[in-house]
Amino acid sequence: MMPAARGTHATVVRLDTVPVRERFDFWWQTVSESVVSVDASSDRAADYWAEMHLIDLGRLQLSRVRCHGFHARRTASRIRRSDPETYQLSVTMSGRSVLRQEGRETPLASTDITIYDASRPFDAWNTPIGPSAPGARTGPRAPGAESGPVGPSAPGGDVSEGLILSVPRDMLALPHRHVRHLLARRIPGHDGLGSLLRGLLQGLTHAEHLSPADLTRLSGVTVDLLTAVLAHQIETNPAPNVADPAALLLLRIRAYIDRHLHQPDLSPAGIAAAHHISLRHMQRLFAQEGDTVGGWIRSRRLEHSRRALADPALATLPVNVIAARSGFTSEAHFNRLFRHVYGVPPATYRRQTARTSASRLTE
């Protein structure tokens, strides 16, 4: 049983009640169950200290972690045993960290953001800053991991702090090959859109002030803001294939579709005309991503509907109205599509999410 204090929206995991010799293994088993499975090592394994606040955001999960230094590795064998098909967004709050994926190794300092794919191997180092943190460096020396002043301390030595947001890959309205270009790259979190995202995630860690309905709605806001941050990075720091005007045009078309999902007459021909290109040219753009224009519109409408069905504030709104607001003209067609993608009919999905929200309130 996990030694944790559970609130309405958050679970707090601490190691205080775990025997010292068992803490390191217990901690990484907890990480495996709540974030992602990794192999870990640390020079502080004998007296490890860590603390985690888990915030339930429905399909998203946010973790605020304070811990001693470590080296974590996600291997191909770990992925074969458990693949959550998620992106992990990491925000370094204090200390220094390094992430290696896709042949890139990126040092990260306070306020820096990065994203990595839990379905692909990666290495991560996390290092407190401070001369009083014995054994802070774990694994190979991390670039940029020089010592310096440190913030809060914890039993057994100095700690670092960070945020991790787990996002199902299918929730991002961006092609995976474009996101892949951003894996293990530094995204500034001190200004611009990065600062807005970092501030939102920090605010969400104070979940005791928010209702389940608030968190459900904010999960959609979080995904939208994350998408905006990544799209900005793609446009300002493009890969060679993304620098192609055709690829940037596709990003703009996808954004246009998201803004007009509610229009039942949204059609490939109308979208092409709005961008002053031929229908055949636009179809080729989507085909290069292994998709079709109609398929993309359907998937985005389904995700928009799923968010609405999970929103307690819309609980009295009939399913057919939600479907219509997302651009579906046939309730029967909507029901079939929703069940095919999410495994249950929309009404059942709504009841299940309502029961989950109710159980959080009574815990």
Side-chain angles (χ1 to χ4, degrees):
M1 180 66 180
M2 187 187 307
R6 190 172 184 86
T8 306
H9 328 295
T11 301
V12 181
V13 182
R14 295 190 176 95
L15 302 184
D16 308 72
T17 61
V18 180
V20 174
R21 69 181 64 182
E22 300 175 15
R23 288 181 179 177
F24 186 76
D25 291 338
F26 175 87
W27 173 254
W28 289 102
Q29 180 60 33
T30 301
V31 171
S32 173
E33 295 170 356
S34 57
V35 183
V36 71
S37 174
V38 295
D39 298 314
S41 61
S42 173
D43 292 347
R44 297 300 304 269
D47 62 343
Y48 205 70
W49 186 93
E51 176 182 271
M52 181 189 300
H53 290 234
L54 298 168
I55 313 299
D56 185 358
L57 295 170
R59 294 190 72 202
L60 305 182
Q61 180 167 279
L62 177 63
S63 306
R64 187 180 74 206
V65 178
R66 298 177 66 226
C67 62
H68 281 148
F70 64 83
H71 172 208
R73 169 170 293 173
R74 182 154 170 80
T75 61
S77 61
R78 288 272 184 183
I79 295 167
R80 285 193 295 270
R81 292 197 295 269
S82 173
D83 185 1
E85 297 187 354
T86 60
Y87 292 119
Q88 307 283 334
L89 187 83
S90 174
V91 183
T92 301
M93 302 303 296
S94 68
R96 294 184 185 273
S97 57
V98 177
L99 184 68
R100 178 193 294 158
Q101 190 172 61
E102 295 291 295
R104 291 184 285 274
E105 185 168 294
T106 303
L108 304 159
S110 179
T111 76
D112 285 344
I113 301 171
T114 194
I115 189 168
Y116 53 101
D117 187 347
S119 297
R120 305 183 69 82
F122 66 79
D123 283 84
W125 295 268
N126 197 293
T127 307
I129 304 175
S132 61
R137 181 172 60 84
T138 58
R141 178 175 293 279
E146 299 84 1
S147 62
V150 72
S153 61
D158 295 323
V159 299
S160 59
E161 181 173 358
L163 304 174
I164 300 174
L165 179 70
S166 298
V167 184
R169 287 172 52 167
D170 63 4
M171 289 188 72
L172 280 185
L174 291 170
H176 175 63
R177 71 184 181 96
H178 293 179
V179 178
R180 186 172 176 179
H181 169 64
L182 300 179
L183 299 178
R185 293 187 185 275
R186 175 182 172 271
I187 300 174
H190 64 279
D191 60 12
L193 288 173
S195 178
L196 291 176
L197 178 59
R198 179 175 58 85
L200 173 60
L201 296 180
Q202 285 183 267
L204 287 173
T205 61
H206 302 289
E208 64 273 12
H209 304 301
L210 302 171
S211 70
D214 292 332
L215 292 174
T216 297
R217 286 185 285 268
L218 285 170
S219 69
V221 173
T222 302
V223 170
D224 290 343
L225 183 52
L226 172 58
T227 301
V229 169
L230 297 180
H232 176 76
Q233 292 297 311
I234 290 169
E235 291 174 349
T236 57
N237 182 29
N241 63 318
V242 182
D244 180 358
L248 294 176
L249 173 60
L250 182 59
L251 288 177
R252 289 194 290 272
I253 291 172
R254 289 178 187 268
Y256 177 91
I257 290 172
D258 269 12
R259 293 196 304 272
H260 295 83
L261 285 177
H262 63 284
Q263 298 177 352
D265 60 348
L266 181 68
S267 67
I271 297 167
H275 290 83
H276 309 290
I277 59 175
S278 70
L279 176 58
R280 180 173 295 181
H281 178 50
M282 186 175 68
Q283 289 171 334
R284 283 198 298 267
L285 293 178
F286 277 83
Q288 289 170 1
E289 299 291 335
D291 211 338
T292 65
V293 184
W296 183 259
I297 293 172
R298 283 193 299 273
S299 67
R300 298 307 299 158
R301 281 177 167 164
L302 283 170
E303 174 60 20
H304 185 268
S305 302
R306 185 200 64 77
R307 290 188 192 179
L309 289 167
D311 189 342
L314 303 179
T316 60
L317 203 63
V319 170
N320 66 316
V321 174
I322 286 178
R325 286 185 173 185
S326 300
F328 290 101
T329 56
S330 166
E331 183 180 5
H333 179 58
F334 167 66
N335 288 340
R336 286 194 299 271
L337 285 175
F338 194 97
R339 182 168 189 165
H340 176 72
V341 173
Y342 298 108
V344 294
T348 302
Y349 179 83
R350 169 181 267 177
R351 288 194 296 271
Q352 289 175 345
T353 54
R355 283 197 297 268
T356 301
S357 295
S359 67
R360 291 178 196 159
L361 288 172
T362 57
E363 286 174 345

